[in-house]
């Protein structure tokens, strides 16, 4: 699998860099709110092209089985975005907590999907706010948008939450990781430096077809949070 330098630049990267000077003057909540309001990632889903129906087909089919395999009864989905690709999936959990740093998205999700008593939605910053304890935290397409410092803050915050598992995006063929400004994007392999995660307990290859299949190694991988490097 080719390394990062051999992959084509994505639409999210192009659009962020066109507005980087403005965005980098903002705090994280304001930054991601601006990205949402302007549909900066240029997708039919405000959560980005990775949340489109085509890019989530494999996950929608296989995620419930993975959650059942590891006994997940309470799931924290952070960031939940617009809850678009998950809202029709029977996750098989007793409690779903969807959270996002963008308050407008959370309000919209409460109005659209909050009638189910097993679901709730909250405004939370993964890197800083106290998090509810859950059997697993689904953190798809998030760390890839965070600076190294913010990734470290997120992992430390997850450890404080007492949650057991982290299910998050990694690119298994990536050979090196690059730092970015939070809100930009790049592929990350969390088993490589500077993160050094152990081998995951389970991996779901997503079947990503973006950029002509250049990101076909995109996966959701599961780790026990207590085993992650501090």
């Amino acid at each position: 699998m080719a390394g990062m330098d051999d992959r084509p630049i994505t639409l999210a990267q192009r659009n962020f860099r066109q507005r980087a000077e403005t965005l980098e003057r903002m705090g994280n909540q304001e930054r991601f709110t601006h990205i949402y309001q302007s549909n900066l990632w240029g997708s039919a889903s405000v959560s980005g092209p990775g949340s489109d129906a085509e890019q989530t087909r494999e996950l929608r089919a296989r995620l419930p089985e993975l959650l059942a395999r590891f006994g997940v009864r309470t799931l924290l989905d952070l960031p939940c975005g617009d809850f678009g690709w998950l809202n029709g999936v029977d996750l098989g959990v007793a409690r779903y907590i969807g959270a996002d740093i963008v308050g407008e998205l959370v309000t919209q999700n409460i109005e659209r999907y909050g009638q189910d008593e097993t679901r709730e939605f909250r405004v939370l910053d993964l890197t800083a706010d106290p998090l509810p304890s859950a059997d697993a935290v689904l953190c798809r397409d998030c760390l890839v948008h965070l600076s190294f410092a913010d990734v470290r803050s997120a992992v430390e915050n997850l450890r404080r939450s007492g949650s057991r598992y982290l299910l998050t995006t990694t690119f298994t063929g990536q050979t090196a990781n690059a730092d970015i400004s939070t809100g930009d994007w790049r592929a990350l392999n969390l088993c490589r430096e500077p993160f050094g995660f152990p081998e995951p307990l389970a991996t779901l290859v997503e079947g990503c077809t973006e950029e002509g299949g250049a990101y076909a190694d995109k996966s959701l991988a599961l780790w026990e949070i207590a085993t992650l490097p501090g």
Side-chain angles (χ1 to χ4, degrees):
M1 181 67 65
M4 182 185 65
D5 291 342
D6 300 312
R7 305 190 201 228
I9 192 170
T10 65
L11 181 62
Q13 291 170 303
R14 290 193 294 271
N15 288 354
F16 181 90
R17 289 164 195 184
Q18 287 172 1
R19 301 192 200 175
E21 186 176 347
T22 298
L23 287 162
E24 287 171 2
R25 291 197 294 265
M26 301 175 180
N28 284 357
Q29 185 167 43
E30 185 183 6
R31 194 177 300 195
F32 282 109
T33 299
H34 178 84
I35 287 169
Y36 157 66
Q37 290 175 338
S38 62
N39 193 18
L40 190 70
W41 292 326
S43 168
S45 167
V46 296
S47 297
S51 293
D52 290 351
E54 178 186 358
Q55 304 303 333
T56 58
R57 184 176 293 110
E58 193 73 13
L59 289 183
R60 283 181 278 126
R62 297 175 61 200
L63 182 58
E65 178 186 357
L66 178 68
L67 297 177
R69 177 182 162 196
F70 286 90
V72 175
R73 302 297 293 149
T74 300
L75 180 68
L76 173 61
D77 180 14
L78 176 58
C80 64
D82 62 5
F83 193 51
W85 70 273
L86 267 185
N87 75 80
V89 179
D90 182 0
L91 293 168
V93 298
R95 186 180 180 207
Y96 169 91
I97 305 168
D100 205 281
I101 197 172
V102 179
E104 290 177 38
L105 272 172
V106 172
T107 299
Q108 172 184 293
N109 289 342
I110 292 171
E111 292 171 352
R112 290 183 178 177
Y113 309 113
Q115 294 74 31
D116 186 329
E117 63 182 16
T118 66
R119 292 178 188 153
E120 63 177 291
F121 295 92
R122 306 182 189 179
V123 179
L124 290 174
D125 178 346
L126 174 66
T127 68
D129 291 336
L131 305 178
S133 179
D135 296 320
V137 181
L138 173 60
C139 187
R140 182 173 180 263
D141 283 345
C142 179
L143 304 184
V144 289
H145 287 290
L146 301 185
S147 67
F148 285 167
D150 279 345
V151 172
R152 284 191 289 271
S153 294
V155 173
E156 289 167 5
N157 203 25
L158 285 164
R159 191 177 290 109
R160 286 192 294 270
S161 77
S163 295
R164 182 167 186 185
Y165 296 113
L166 172 63
L167 184 59
T168 195
T169 305
T170 193
F171 290 79
T172 58
Q174 188 73 14
T175 58
N177 294 315
D179 203 1
I180 56 167
S181 175
T182 290
D184 198 353
W185 185 93
R186 80 315 206 179
L188 284 180
N189 184 341
L190 294 171
C191 293
R192 301 276 186 171
E193 293 302 323
F195 309 111
F197 282 21
E199 284 300 305
L201 299 172
T203 303
L204 292 183
V205 180
E206 295 194 7
C208 178
T209 62
E210 293 180 60
E211 303 297 335
Y215 295 90
D217 58 328
K218 182 182 182 184
S219 305
L220 266 186
L222 185 86
W223 286 274
E224 196 157 9
I225 292 171
T227 69
L228 301 180

